[in-house]
Amino acid sequence: SSELTQDPSVSVALGQTVRITCQGDSLRNYDPNWYQQKPGQAPLLVIYGKDHRPSGIPDRFSGSKSGNSASLTITGAQAEDEADYFCNSRDTNGVHWVFGGGTKVTV
Amino acid sequence: QVQLVQSGPEVKKPGASVTISCKASGYIFSHHAVHWVRQAPGQGLEWMGWINGGSGNTKTSLRLQGRLTITRDTSAATAYMELSGLTSDDTALYYCVREGSSGWHGEFDYWGLGTLVTVTS
């Protein structure tokens, strides 16, 4: 099975922009989904299919992909955006799924 | 509204098995797959496997193949996960997750609150 690689942590000043990256072979064939997880809570879907926002997710969250690399961008980060962020996608075989190791965002 | 209600915490001895249930409501159970994802204390998310809510077909991660069994009861709108041969490495919070409607992207749009499984002698 393939893997998805994320940077362990990133910091951003309040109101600034932060980009969280995710790399892996599966992203060449499948678009990534992104999840936000705050302490003590279940993960929350924030971006699916590379760049689609579920209802209720602020438009400061956006996604993109190029080749085997994907990014989640928070434009104008807020204090409440401090959380762990995980990418995932179908595996290269299409019938399994894989998660990145997660990125801790500090605002 | 969509809800996934999981069974309560479990404490098991090494070598034992554990079964967790996940009762779905607020949508047509057979129209969506249910996945299982776990998270060891302080660690990231690990995809475990999934079941097609309609056909009952399943796939499990290569790492857990042979130990993980996923089933469902469509009449009860409930999915089950059984993990056997438990070790301390299986101590984790286990989530059941609904796969969304996009089909291709396989997004996990609704999550249960998680069931804590502790494996200790």
Side-chain angles (χ1 to χ4, degrees):
Chain A
S1 64
S2 61
E3 295 180 350
L4 294 175
T5 301
Q6 297 182 241
D7 291 330
S9 64
V10 65
S11 296
V12 59
L14 188 67
Q16 297 303 301
T17 296
V18 61
R19 177 180 293 177
I20 305 158
T21 61
C22 174
Q23 278 193 304
D25 287 341
S26 62
L27 298 181
R28 295 190 186 280
N29 296 326
Y30 299 102
D31 290 333
N33 308 304
W34 291 92
Y35 306 88
Q36 175 194 70
Q37 187 180 34
K38 296 180 180 179
Q41 297 184 17
L44 172 71
L45 179 68
V46 294
I47 293 288
Y48 69 96
K50 183 177 67 176
D51 57 3
H52 301 282
R53 260 189 327 275
S55 173
I57 300 301
D59 61 5
R60 62 179 180 272
F61 290 90
S62 63
S64 64
K65 188 188 82 166
S66 177
N68 73 335
S69 182
S71 296
L72 171 70
T73 300
I74 309 174
T75 303
Q78 302 299 303
E80 61 263 33
D81 299 333
E82 186 162 291
D84 294 325
Y85 290 84
F86 296 90
C87 61
N88 93 324
S89 76
R90 290 178 185 264
D91 202 345
T92 49
N93 59 26
V95 295
H96 292 166
W97 270 251
V98 62
F99 279 97
T103 298
K104 181 176 182 59
V105 172
T106 301
V107 179
Chain B
Q1 70 283 21
V2 174
Q3 283 192 306
L4 300 170
V5 179
Q6 299 183 222
S7 49
E10 302 269 6
V11 178
K12 296 292 182 180
K13 293 189 182 302
S17 298
V18 67
T19 299
I20 301 170
S21 65
C22 171
K23 181 166 178 59
S25 62
Y27 72 97
I28 300 174
F29 182 77
S30 61
H31 286 190
H32 293 262
V34 172
H35 295 248
W36 290 90
V37 174
R38 69 179 180 179
Q39 187 170 35
Q43 302 301 308
L45 302 171
E46 177 186 4
W47 179 80
M48 301 175 67
W50 66 288
I51 186 165
N52 183 307
S55 68
N57 289 339
T58 63
K59 288 290 183 184
T60 58
S61 73
L62 297 178
R63 184 166 178 241
L64 295 174
Q65 237 166 37
R67 292 205 297 136
L68 177 64
T69 303
I70 301 174
T71 58
R72 97 285 189 234
D73 178 348
T74 53
S75 65
T78 300
Y80 302 90
M81 181 221 71
E82 180 185 13
L83 187 62
S84 62
L86 294 171
T87 72
S88 58
D89 288 342
D90 296 314
T91 293
L93 191 59
Y94 288 74
Y95 292 103
C96 74
V97 185
R98 191 187 85 157
E99 184 180 332
S101 303
S102 74
W104 182 252
H105 303 306
E107 73 278 12
F108 300 158
D109 61 353
Y110 287 93
W111 295 64
L113 295 180
T115 295
L116 181 62
V117 175
T118 304
V119 182
T120 178
S121 56

